[in-house]
């Protein structure tokens, strides 16, 4: 798990306004848990290397890594992954990584997922793992904050995943039918759509650092036990 | 503006070569303020030279990780102790 694996892009698919799914073939990559990530290393012809972390969008198949990458304008790595990488391109992958921000099918109990932007990726992997585990009847809820409807990742699938209730919250532009004015996540959103604190749900919050900190604080304000909230920060300015 | 920090989840890769178990689940005590938390919850700043992990409560530097081609070096200037996750006292394979 510690060494770099050779990886090759086998497929790319458009996902959202500025995002796409990349599927990599990675011999030797095995045993990933939902919520884990990999480190991706790119090497330029002159030897310059860049390493970034990306969450696994789906687990369950060894030797295959599925990523969902959103473009950060002006970034070093993500514009390449979203616009340029194509089947046959080579890179390196280290992982699967992380044992804290994970959900295991035998964990049991209600699960509240809270995503900002591309932070939905490891949470989608958890919802997919739950749907794929025939024994799991844990109720899942997802609160997903996105800029506009065009920025929602996996929307069709997450709106119809067995056992999962998804609420999309738009920060810049909402669909015409929406009654909630566009804006940041609020305490009202949390109390209206998340599990009540007395359900004792396990809570996973992921996204840009500012979003994660604001959302975790709102969950605590709403009465959730801080000890049951797990967070993963993606960075940002 | 400075880039926003990451958290200890992002140290899983850099530390994977050093330890047999996932290090982000290790619990540490800040030598400065006494806060106890899993490594996953600390505040991490990435620099070109390496990663600096700070205490989530008092911002003291807990850990510095530098990945060298010759090997990964970890400094622990601010940790009073480190405790493995449950099961880490067994010899041989640890956890899952
Ligand atoms: C554990 C982990 C998992 C991650 N999983 C995913 C994932 O599944 N999908 C995904 O798209 N990204 C994910 N990220 C973010 C990813 O690692 C990169 O930070 C992101 O792709 C930007 O890289 P870059 O090289 O394009 O930008 P950089 O060249 O690194 O940065 C350019 C500028 O953008 C800012 N910036 C960096 N990251 C972000 C961000 N996330 N949002 C807004 N501004 C940013 C920087 O501060 C800098 O000012 C994850 C991060 C971590 C730590
Ligand atoms: Zn401290």
């Amino acid at each position: 798990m510690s060494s770099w694996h050779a990886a090759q892009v086998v497929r790319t698919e458009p996902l959202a306004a500025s995002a796409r799914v990349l599927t990599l073939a990675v011999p030797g990559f095995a045993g990933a848990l939902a919520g884990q990530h990999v480190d991706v290393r790119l090497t330029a012809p002159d030897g310059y290397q860049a390493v970034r972390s990306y969450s696994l969008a789906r687990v369950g198949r060894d030797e295959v890594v599925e990523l969902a990458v959103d473009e950060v304008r002006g970034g070093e790595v993500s514009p390449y992954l979203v616009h340029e990488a194509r089947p046959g391109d080579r890179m390196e992958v280290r992982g699967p990584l992380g044992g804290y921000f994970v959900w295991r099918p035998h964990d049991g109990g209600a699960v509240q997922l809270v995503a900002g932007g591309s932070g939905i990726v490891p949470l989608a992997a958890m919802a997919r793992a739950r749907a794929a585990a025939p024994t799991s009847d844990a109720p899942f809820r997802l609160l997903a904050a996105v800029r506009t409807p065009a920025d929602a990742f996996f929307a069709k699938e997450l709106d119809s995943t067995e056992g999962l209730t998804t609420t999309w919250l738009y920060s810049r532009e909402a669909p015409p039918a929406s009654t909630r004015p566009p804006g940041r996540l609020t305490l009202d959103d949390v109390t209206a759509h998340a599990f009540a604190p007395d359900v004792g749900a396990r809570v996973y919050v992921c996204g840009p650092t500012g979003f994660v900190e604001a959302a975790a604080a709102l969950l605590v304000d709403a009465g959730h036990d801080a000890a049951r909230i797990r967070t993963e920060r993606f960075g940002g300015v | 503006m400075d880039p926003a920090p990451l958290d200890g989840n992002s140290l899983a890769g850099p530390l994977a070569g050093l330890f047999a178990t996932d290090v982000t689940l290790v619990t540490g005590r800040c030598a400065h303020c006494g806060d106890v938390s899993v490594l996953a919850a600390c505040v991490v700043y990435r620099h070109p030279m390496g990663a600096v992990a700070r205490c989530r409560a008092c911002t003291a530097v807990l850990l510095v990780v530098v990945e060298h081609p010759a090997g990964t070096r970890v400094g622990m200037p601010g940790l009073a102790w480190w405790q493995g996750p449950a099961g880490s006292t067994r010899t041989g394979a640890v956890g899952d």
Side-chain angles (χ1 to χ4, degrees), chain A residues 52-55 68-70 72 75-78 121 233-234 236-237, chain B residues 3:
Chain A
R52 295 292 183 277
S53 300
Y54 292 98
S55 302
V69 180
D70 198 19
V72 171
E76 207 170 34
V77 170
S78 60
V121 177
R233 293 162 180 79
F234 276 10
V237 282

Side-chain angles (χ1 to χ4, degrees), chain B residues 30 33 55 58:
Chain B
C30 172
C33 77
C55 175
C58 79

Side-chain angles (χ1 to χ4, degrees), chain A residues 171-190:
Chain A
S171 61
R172 301 248 179 92
E173 178 199 320
S178 168
T179 54
R180 177 187 179 276
R184 286 168 181 263
L185 184 72
T186 66
L187 188 58
D188 284 348
D189 296 325
V190 172

